[in-house]
Amino acid sequence: MPEKPDTAVALTHRAIGLRASDPARARELLGVALAKDDGYEPAWRWLAELVATEGERRFCLERAYEIKADPETGRALKAVRTTPPSTPADVADLVEPERPPANVRAGRAKGGWKKIWIAVGAAVVLASVLGVWTAAGAERGEPVYVALVAGMTGDNAVTSAHMEHAVRMHLDTVNAAGGIHGHPVELLVYDDADRVDKAIGIAQQIVREDKVLYVVGHGSSDTALAASPIYRRARIPAITPSASSSRITDGSEWYFRSMFGNRTQSDFMSVYASHVLGSKTAAVIYDDDEDGRSAHDTFLESFGEFGRVTAELPISAAPASRAASVDAAVAALEAHDPREPIVLALKEKSGLEVIDRLRSAGVTAPVLGTSSLSSRAFHDALTGAERKSGRPGALTGNLFMATPLAQDSLSGPAQVWADAFEQRYGERPLWQAATARQALNVGLHAMEVGGLGFDGNHRAADRQRVRDSLASLKDRKNSFPALLGPLYFNASGSAQMAVSVVTSDGARFVSAPVQFTIYEPPSGDALQAGLADGEVIAVKNRYLSRRQVVATGINLNEVRDLDTTDGTYFVDFFVWLKYTGNNGAADVQFVNAVKPDLKLGEPLRDVTEDGRTYRLYRVADRFKSSFEFHDFPFDHQRLTVLLQNRTQTADQVSYVTDKEILDQDPRAYLRSGADAEATINQVPNWVASSVHFFRQTVGSSDALGDGQSAGAATGIYYSQYAAEIEIERDTLPFLIKNLLPLILLICVTYLSLFFKAADGSAPVSMGVTAILSTAVLLNNVTSQLPSVSYIVALEWGYYAFILLAAGCVLIAMLRKRFATLKRDDAEQTLRRAARIGYPVYLLGIVTVFMIAFG
């Protein structure tokens, strides 16, 4: 086998593979890679993610941005602009050493003062151009600190790395926008290796350092439970993104959870096992740790409402006895009833081994897994084991996993976030990344609205205000609009959110066709009716209602006839729906159609097999959207098609992305479904850059007079499915066509500065004519825009020239005045300054536009 090359690219790939398990070695490899090629931009970007301090991060980001002016790197750089750069030790040899001081001779060379004044003038011009960009940063307050504590090393290193990436990415955005009330937010990362002893030590360290306003973490239930009393005594709020034990939040008013806990998860899994899988018995295999025991105990309580657990099989945490406990669990289930579900409350490593052993032993029963087994990484591990053993589908079949995030049902903001995460880090985010972002974001929200003093002398009071603000998020009407939907906490501090169930399609986890959601009855009669017809199910102190999941696909054929003045456009597309259950799922309308009654019409295909219905339609009509013109003519617009059920609420039906869409290359979305050789874009002077498909929930927190609708107790909400085409203006032809007259006016106005001072009337006439002509040109250019209340980008350019032309008129009048008073030196100085200042001013305006829109 040939040796791997030691190129900068190869070394960077090796470093990426080690970033979670051995970050020190990863940094060392990146240092070697950059020593071989210090112009390799990806190595600088990855080193920026691994360095220890914000100063080192800025140093690496600056080097990366010098090589490639990537917008993501620029946004990350803005977030650390207040921190002085410092050189990481791994690349210290790449920095040039200081030069010896030069011998400075007394006196000044001829023309020295002139050069100094030229330099001063250039500095003044540069400061004028860039002052608006730096003024906001000059008023930055002292930083505030947030801690992230997770197992950055160990079995969950990959998951923890995703958490850190999501948190850092969001903080980059927050700090680039000015932080929280002018205070940049800095992240302190601690590695507890998912070990209780280290978690206790880190919690004590956080208390001693007395810097952070709240903690995001810990990652596992054992470590969170160990740290909880330390934070409670110190009165430091903490939000765990992934530890599911109910005891963490039950026992502390200072600990919150940004996802559901085991009590909620067990309620949903019990209902799924009994009412979807149709079983009154179940077996449970669980890790003998806090996560596993908590999931086991709460499932026993919940499932006791519908049946009984026939087997309770722990997997030992002790290495010496672990293999024997796995053998015992598999042996106990070899004669298992194939209709009786097996519930796995295991971590990924144990889950993979147990599923492999069960299927190898011929156990074909459905497997229900807790959220720890619902990630893309776990599915990849299953398919990898299938390929290795030559048994395709043997491990991924008949799986049903609970999760807070189904990748095929991402909402619009979540889809945008997931795409940005993938662009920045090269892989799709795990669900733990989303819940970590939620934990960070809801804490920042509490800091923003809590009336904090941001004073180190009153940090205890600020922490109390953060905790109180979090506790105030106690129902949907008082919720925080988080990434995965409205975020609010139940009485024990755990996020009140539905549990999704995903199943494998062989390539990934996708939403199961039947789901449940939390039901809040609008009235006693509505509750009794729901219970009677089986649409509402009571479990413990909770009510759940059935939700029909519709796999939805849209294939665009053509987009044309864009009218920016009224925001309308014509779209031709195929749309299909796949669902089980009644046909109410196909009773949809297009809420942003120009025709308010536009419906699907008759299907082109209508097939029902094994209870699964497939319907295909073709729609061609005009739609409308709200356009944003602040950046005109550098604007990007989003043309959407919004599909929504006419009568059923989001609690009853949900539209998610069909796997046929997920399997496609996103570039294929831009090809016509009716003609594969054609593009969807038929809009002149615009370019279609991307297409996104996602679901979203819309509605009102008020019942709108309908007190009997499902979910009416907290308002009426509907599930929508969106196809969003992003188009950008073909700017160069537009600018050539519309700016050429302005360029000619600029040249003519500049010529006015070369007239003699005595001919003052001619330059004045030229300047006034330029101002009037520019006003006419501006009106012609903006006539294609609707009536907007704000100034668009191109208008700023025209206004800048009007100001310049007015300046030329003023200069011509002053020169004539100086000439009349025989002040020839002053007139010559003004004339020279104007001839130099004119192009410098234009260059400054062009530079500002390039920075803002380049």
Side-chain angles (χ1 to χ4, degrees), residues 144-164:
V144 293
Y145 296 91
V146 175
L148 171 66
V149 190
M152 310 307 297
T153 56
D155 290 342
N156 294 316
V158 173
T159 298
S160 300
H162 275 242
M163 289 184 186
E164 183 183 359

Side-chain angles (χ1 to χ4, degrees), residues 782-807:
T782 57
S783 61
Q784 60 183 288
L785 297 178
S787 178
V788 294
S789 60
Y790 47 82
I791 299 174
V792 302
L794 194 62
E795 285 180 302
W796 287 116
Y798 275 87
Y799 293 153
F801 175 68
I802 290 173
L803 178 63
L804 181 62

Side-chain angles (χ1 to χ4, degrees), residues 252-409:
S252 174
E253 62 179 6
W254 288 83
Y255 228 124
F256 299 84
R257 182 184 291 108
S258 62
M259 60 170 285
F260 50 73
N262 277 336
R263 191 174 290 115
T264 300
Q265 181 171 232
S266 292
D267 288 349
F268 275 80
M269 292 175 67
S270 297
V271 171
Y272 202 89
S274 59
H275 287 72
V276 178
L277 301 182
S279 179
K280 299 302 181 184
T281 58
V284 182
I285 305 177
Y286 61 97
D287 276 326
D288 193 14
D289 58 13
E290 180 61 31
D291 271 318
R293 289 191 298 270
S294 171
H296 162 264
D297 295 345
T298 53
F299 183 79
L300 256 61
E301 292 178 16
S302 297
F303 195 68
E305 300 279 307
F306 312 106
R308 63 187 179 88
V309 173
T310 59
E312 303 169 46
L313 306 165
I315 303 300
S316 175
S321 54
R322 184 177 178 281
S325 64
V326 172
D327 292 340
V330 173
L333 297 176
E334 281 186 310
H336 189 70
D337 183 344
R339 295 167 298 178
E340 180 179 302
I342 301 170
V343 176
L344 301 185
L346 304 171
K347 292 183 172 59
E348 289 189 4
K349 185 177 179 181
S350 299
L352 177 62
E353 182 179 3
V354 168
I355 292 174
D356 193 2
R357 293 285 304 280
L358 286 172
R359 296 315 191 206
S360 297
V363 178
T364 59
V367 170
L368 270 169
T370 56
S371 58
S372 55
L373 302 183
S374 67
S375 71
R376 186 199 70 253
F378 182 67
H379 192 281
D380 290 345
L382 290 173
T383 54
E386 288 177 343
R387 287 192 298 270
K388 187 175 180 180
S389 62
R391 297 180 296 161
L395 306 184
T396 52
N398 218 9
L399 297 182
F400 304 91
M401 304 301 188
T403 183
L405 173 66
Q407 291 282 350
D408 60 342
S409 63

Side-chain angles (χ1 to χ4, degrees), residues 115 131 150 230 249 520 529 558 579 669 700 727 735 757 776:
K115 293 178 180 178
I230 300 171
T249 55
E520 299 183 26
E558 184 181 40
Y579 54 91
Y669 302 160
S700 169
I727 61 174
L735 293 178
V776 173

Side-chain angles (χ1 to χ4, degrees), residues 301-596:
E301 292 178 16
S302 297
F303 195 68
E305 300 279 307
F306 312 106
R308 63 187 179 88
V309 173
T310 59
E312 303 169 46
L313 306 165
I315 303 300
S316 175
S321 54
R322 184 177 178 281
S325 64
V326 172
D327 292 340
V330 173
L333 297 176
E334 281 186 310
H336 189 70
D337 183 344
R339 295 167 298 178
E340 180 179 302
I342 301 170
V343 176
L344 301 185
L346 304 171
K347 292 183 172 59
E348 289 189 4
K349 185 177 179 181
S350 299
L352 177 62
E353 182 179 3
V354 168
I355 292 174
D356 193 2
R357 293 285 304 280
L358 286 172
R359 296 315 191 206
S360 297
V363 178
T364 59
V367 170
L368 270 169
T370 56
S371 58
S372 55
L373 302 183
S374 67
S375 71
R376 186 199 70 253
F378 182 67
H379 192 281
D380 290 345
L382 290 173
T383 54
E386 288 177 343
R387 287 192 298 270
K388 187 175 180 180
S389 62
R391 297 180 296 161
L395 306 184
T396 52
N398 218 9
L399 297 182
F400 304 91
M401 304 301 188
T403 183
L405 173 66
Q407 291 282 350
D408 60 342
S409 63
L410 293 177
S411 65
Q415 183 71 59
V416 171
W417 166 78
D419 290 344
F421 187 102
E422 183 176 22
Q423 182 179 7
R424 178 164 175 173
Y425 297 111
E427 55 186 338
R428 298 296 285 180
L430 303 178
W431 67 255
Q432 291 90 344
T435 54
R437 185 189 185 277
Q438 289 202 152
L440 171 76
N441 208 11
V442 75
L444 296 179
H445 167 75
M447 289 166 56
E448 192 162 23
V449 303
L452 277 64
F454 297 102
D455 183 352
N457 297 325
H458 301 89
R459 191 168 290 119
D462 281 351
R463 289 171 179 156
Q464 180 71 51
R465 294 186 182 101
V466 169
R467 194 220 74 86
D468 292 346
S469 295
L470 293 172
S472 70
L473 304 172
K474 57 186 178 181
D475 55 42
R476 191 161 189 167
K477 289 186 178 180
N478 296 289
S479 62
F480 170 68
L483 191 68
L484 303 182
L487 178 61
Y488 57 102
F489 303 105
N490 58 26
S492 62
S494 189
Q496 187 82 325
M497 60 189 296
V499 179
S500 298
V501 176
V502 291
T503 186
S504 174
D505 67 356
R508 68 185 65 80
F509 282 130
V510 296
S511 296
V514 178
Q515 303 281 345
F516 294 90
T517 188
I518 298 171
Y519 178 75
E520 299 183 26
S523 66
D525 291 342
L527 174 61
Q528 292 305 316
L531 291 171
D533 63 20
E535 291 301 309
V536 178
I537 300 160
V539 51
K540 303 297 288 180
N541 298 318
R542 194 189 312 272
Y543 297 105
L544 304 183
S545 61
R546 288 179 182 267
R547 174 187 284 168
Q548 192 177 21
V549 174
V550 184
T552 310
I554 291 178
N555 197 331
L556 298 162
N557 299 322
E558 184 181 40
V559 180
R560 58 178 169 82
D561 300 342
L562 174 66
D563 187 338
T564 55
T565 57
D566 61 6
T568 63
Y569 43 91
F570 182 90
V571 187
D572 178 3
F573 59 95
F574 292 107
V575 58
W576 64 88
L577 308 172
K578 299 176 182 177
Y579 54 91
T580 60
N582 64 65
N583 291 327
D587 184 13
V588 303
Q589 61 184 349
F590 295 94
V591 294
N592 70 321
V594 172
K595 297 177 182 176

